Amino acid sequence: MSAIYILWLRELKRYTRSRVQIVASMGQPLLYLFVLGFGLGPVFQRAGNGDYRQFVSPGVIGMVVLFSSIFSGLGLLFDRQFGFLKETLVAPVSRLQIMAGRTLGGATVAVLQGLLVSLVCVIAGFRPVHPAAVPLALVFMMLIAVVFSALGVAIGSSLQDMQGFQLIMNFMVMPLFFLSGALFPLNGLPKVLELATSIDPLSYGIDGMRAVLLGITHFGAFTDAVVLVAVGAVLLVIGAYRFSKIEI
Amino acid sequence: MIQVRNLVKTFGTFTAVNDVSFDVAEGEIFAFLGPNGAGKTTTIKMLTTLLRPTSGAIELDGLDPQTKQNEARKRFGIVFQDPSLDGELSAAENMEIHGVLYHVPRKLRRQRSEELLKLFELWDRRAEQVKKFSGGMKRRLEIARGFLHTPKILFLDEPTLGLDPQSRNQLWTHVKKVNEAERVTVFLTTHYMDEADRVAHRIGVIDHGKLVAQGTPKAIKEQTGKESLEEAFLALTGSTIRDESAGSADQMRQFARMWSGGRR
Ligand SMILES: Nc1ncnc2c1ncn2[C@@H]1O[C@H](COP(=O)(O)OP(=O)(O)OP(=O)(O)O)[C@@H](O)[C@H]1O
Ligand SMILES: [Mg+2]
């Protein structure tokens, strides 16, 4: 247990010490929030979908949590290169605990980032229809964070070095984001796109947040939660397995 | 304490460790010597559960590190040849993480951490981020950290790499101390033959993945008919320089440098 805690704490310390990165990671979501918020807002409104800023805020929050948790999972690659990974891998602690510490740490950081961007959204005019449901939205944020931290660790364990990083960004993280319905409603999509969005776990996370905060939902909040828990569990198992097989 | 039988490790078609067998007795200081790329680090990685052998058998304190990973890990401590610190954290935090991972009780952890940081003259800078340390200071911290818990077997992979004479002395004095006082078995590698001659009870010489000689420093000198261990080493391994092809570890190091350089 203490091993899980100390590795969790390590992730947190590294996060709080990288102020520049915290600010930098807000750049892209703010762009989406403001540029798309103001740019698409009128069209969205005319199409009868309501206020786009309201709609896109949970999407932007989900995006930040996605990026942040995948990155901290992939932090494994940095640790491999800077050598610290070896130090944890030879310690007399089961790899499961080490993986758990890292994943929880990464997920916590992602939730903190999510809260930070939520605050920005509120300042920018985001008003949850159901303020009492904020804790529920937090639960969805945590689920997204765990799912993608575990995915990050699974991928990070399978890659040898940073060369695969761009590949992962362009062919996995960006598609996960764009297909999640973060920026557009999931209703009435072409068949192919609908299929793609329905196998993207982030769709369920963002849909869940919209469901509890705005009362807009495609899958239903309960389905969202079940899917996220199930996918999270599977990814944790895969991540733990891949992690236990790391050789240096 | 350490038993290695017919150990082999291949990377693709390249054989890094080729049919190596040796024993290290409890309480012994064993120096593993060999030119660059001979297979020393690869052997240590297999002994410490970081790499799976291609074939052959290993026993650490009677345990197979492949099947009884956790039990085996409880038996040893290691100072790596490559950096293994968290640069974003302070020296004290790096020590603390190590202490927790190795189940050193809190009070003892703090006390030993202080002793060791003082011994290796890092106490004054304990709160500083490690990335701001000089190369030698980082090295000293790695070593101090390696001594934080008391393992049965201590692996030291080129521990004196980049250290000044003062720190080297400090290190070997400390190694001898834990070896004598706590009967820690030590498995070390170094490129300084005089160090090996001074501290090691027994020596194994590896070249191109094969063990070419084994015995006390005296026996090895006699066997080759040389005065010094350095001459004996050259007689055993030849005097050509090894073209150490940039292995993946080196490439990674380069990458790491690129990244950290690019960030600042
Ligand atoms: N992961 C790897 N993939 C491919 N080749 C490797 C790998 N690791 C090591 N090697 C190769 O195996 C050989 C032995 O490497 P090793 O690191 O064990 O040498 P060493 O004896 O520790 O040398 P040095 O004194 O330079 O530290 C080298 O030729 C190296 O390039
Ligand atoms: Mg080496």
Side-chain angles (χ1 to χ4, degrees):
Chain A
M1 273 324 276
S2 52
I4 298 181
Y5 167 73
I6 199 83
L7 291 173
W8 173 83
L9 191 65
R10 167 176 180 255
E11 297 291 327
L12 240 65
K13 282 184 174 164
R14 286 175 67 95
Y15 170 67
T16 51
R17 273 170 212 181
S18 56
R19 302 244 160 75
V20 180
Q21 229 183 323
I22 298 176
V23 176
S25 64
M26 287 293 141
Q28 210 175 354
L30 291 185
L31 214 60
Y32 282 108
L33 190 64
F34 286 101
V35 177
L36 290 187
F38 289 105
L40 289 181
V43 184
F44 199 74
Q45 194 109 41
R46 254 175 278 142
N49 285 313
D51 185 347
Y52 189 64
R53 226 170 329 144
Q54 289 286 86
F55 176 83
V56 85
S57 286
V60 168
I61 297 168
M63 165 195 186
V64 167
V65 178
L66 164 78
F67 277 43
S68 174
S69 47
I70 292 229
F71 275 138
S72 54
L74 289 176
L76 204 63
L77 292 176
F78 285 93
D79 279 353
R80 199 190 258 265
Q81 273 171 11
F82 290 99
F84 184 77
L85 185 64
K86 292 195 291 282
E87 155 79 356
T88 55
L89 293 185
V90 294
V93 175
S94 72
R95 294 228 175 149
L96 188 63
Q97 287 188 45
I98 295 180
M99 190 266 183
R102 293 193 73 102
T103 310
L104 287 178
T108 308
V109 166
V111 169
L112 289 177
Q113 287 278 80
L115 289 175
L116 200 63
V117 80
S118 305
L119 195 71
V120 174
C121 286
V122 169
I123 293 170
F126 175 54
R127 295 287 173 270
V129 181
H130 308 295
V134 167
L136 275 179
L138 192 64
V139 170
F140 275 107
M141 234 188 267
M142 290 177 188
L143 286 173
I144 300 175
V146 169
V147 165
F148 292 107
S149 296
L151 182 64
V153 169
I155 295 170
S157 310
S158 313
L159 291 178
Q160 285 295 322
D161 47 47
M162 300 302 294
Q163 286 166 21
F165 194 83
Q166 276 302 324
L167 214 64
I168 301 294
M169 273 312 289
N170 291 333
F171 290 96
M172 212 189 74
V173 182
M174 294 318 275
L176 276 172
F177 167 56
F178 281 112
L179 293 173
S180 67
L183 303 176
F184 52 81
L186 294 175
N187 300 324
L189 294 176
K191 264 279 171 288
V192 183
L193 202 55
E194 187 182 326
L195 185 72
T197 53
S198 65
I199 55 173
D200 180 351
L202 186 60
S203 302
Y204 298 87
I206 291 173
D207 191 59
M209 282 197 284
R210 281 201 186 116
V212 294
L213 291 175
L214 302 173
I216 314 168
T217 175
H218 181 71
F219 304 107
F222 182 73
T223 312
D224 291 331
V226 171
V227 169
L228 287 172
V229 169
V231 173
V234 170
L235 286 175
L236 279 172
V237 171
I238 296 176
Y241 175 77
R242 295 297 316 169
F243 192 77
S244 76
K245 292 288 171 219
I246 294 183
E247 288 190 88
I248 288 191
Chain B
M1 187 54 67
I2 307 176
Q3 248 187 50
V4 173
R5 290 288 168 271
N6 309 107
L7 190 63
V8 176
K9 179 70 196 182
T10 55
F11 296 108
T13 55
F14 177 74
T15 308
V17 174
N18 192 353
D19 197 21
V20 165
S21 302
F22 60 85
D23 286 286
V24 180
E26 186 175 354
E28 195 169 40
I29 301 183
F30 185 84
F32 204 40
L33 308 178
N36 290 146
K40 304 180 294 295
T41 302
T42 308
T43 305
I44 292 186
K45 282 183 179 171
M46 288 188 280
L47 291 170
T48 54
T49 74
L50 282 176
L51 266 184
R52 266 181 291 280
T54 307
S55 67
I58 300 174
E59 271 188 21
L60 291 185
D61 197 17
L63 296 162
D64 180 352
Q66 255 196 295
T67 52
K68 294 260 183 350
Q69 292 200 333
N70 259 340
E71 284 303 306
R73 287 185 192 129
K74 283 185 192 146
R75 305 293 197 279
F76 66 78
I78 177 168
V79 173
F80 297 100
Q81 178 180 349
D82 302 323
S84 66
L85 299 165
D86 186 338
E88 301 296 319
L89 300 184
S90 70
E93 286 167 336
N94 269 286
M95 294 290 272
E96 176 73 8
I97 291 189
H98 185 89
V100 171
L101 290 180
Y102 283 82
H103 313 294
V104 183
R106 178 194 294 260
K107 241 182 104 189
L108 191 63
R109 200 157 77 211
R110 299 276 151 83
Q111 179 199 329
R112 289 193 67 134
S113 181
E114 181 172 343
E115 279 168 21
L116 286 161
L117 287 176
K118 281 182 176 157
L119 181 66
F120 289 100
E121 301 193 7
L122 291 166
W123 180 247
D124 295 336
R125 307 190 62 169
R126 64 187 180 279
E128 221 169 290
Q129 276 185 317
V130 171
K131 67 179 176 192
K132 295 176 188 153
F133 281 11
S134 78
M137 288 166 62
K138 284 183 194 154
R139 201 64 203 145
R140 263 149 46 201
L141 179 58
E142 300 240 9
I143 291 163
R145 189 181 66 178
F147 286 114
L148 188 56
H149 71 295
T150 314
K152 281 190 157 181
I153 309 170
L154 185 59
F155 291 98
L156 302 170
D157 197 354
E158 294 189 34
T160 49
L161 190 79
L163 285 188
D164 56 26
Q166 291 88 333
S167 315
R168 286 214 293 269
N169 251 326
Q170 202 66 269
L171 164 70
W172 293 125
T173 311
H174 200 69
V175 167
K176 280 188 174 163
K177 198 177 113 194
V178 296
N179 172 256
E180 277 157 25
E182 314 187 38
R183 286 198 53 77
V184 174
T185 307
V186 181
F187 185 100
L188 65 95
T189 78
T190 175
H191 288 300
Y192 301 104
M193 295 302 135
D194 55 314
E195 291 179 346
D197 204 358
R198 230 165 4 133
V199 293
H201 302 140
R202 256 170 8 98
I203 285 173
V205 179
I206 185 173
D207 193 16
H208 295 299
K210 276 199 168 300
L211 206 58
V212 292
Q214 200 178 163
T216 61
K218 195 158 155 266
I220 288 188
K221 281 181 261 182
E222 277 166 8
Q223 184 193 329
T224 50
K226 301 287 179 191
E227 287 288 307
S228 70
L229 190 60
E230 178 123 11
E231 289 171 305
F233 179 82
L234 290 173
L236 285 165
T237 57
S239 51
T240 49
I241 294 177
R242 303 309 149 91
D243 63 286
E244 201 197 5
S245 56
S248 60
D250 296 289
Q251 280 173 4
M252 270 190 225
R253 256 174 270 158
Q254 255 167 5
F255 243 106
R257 244 172 276 148
M258 252 167 57
W259 271 89
S260 58
R263 268 202 195 161
R264 230 163 276 149

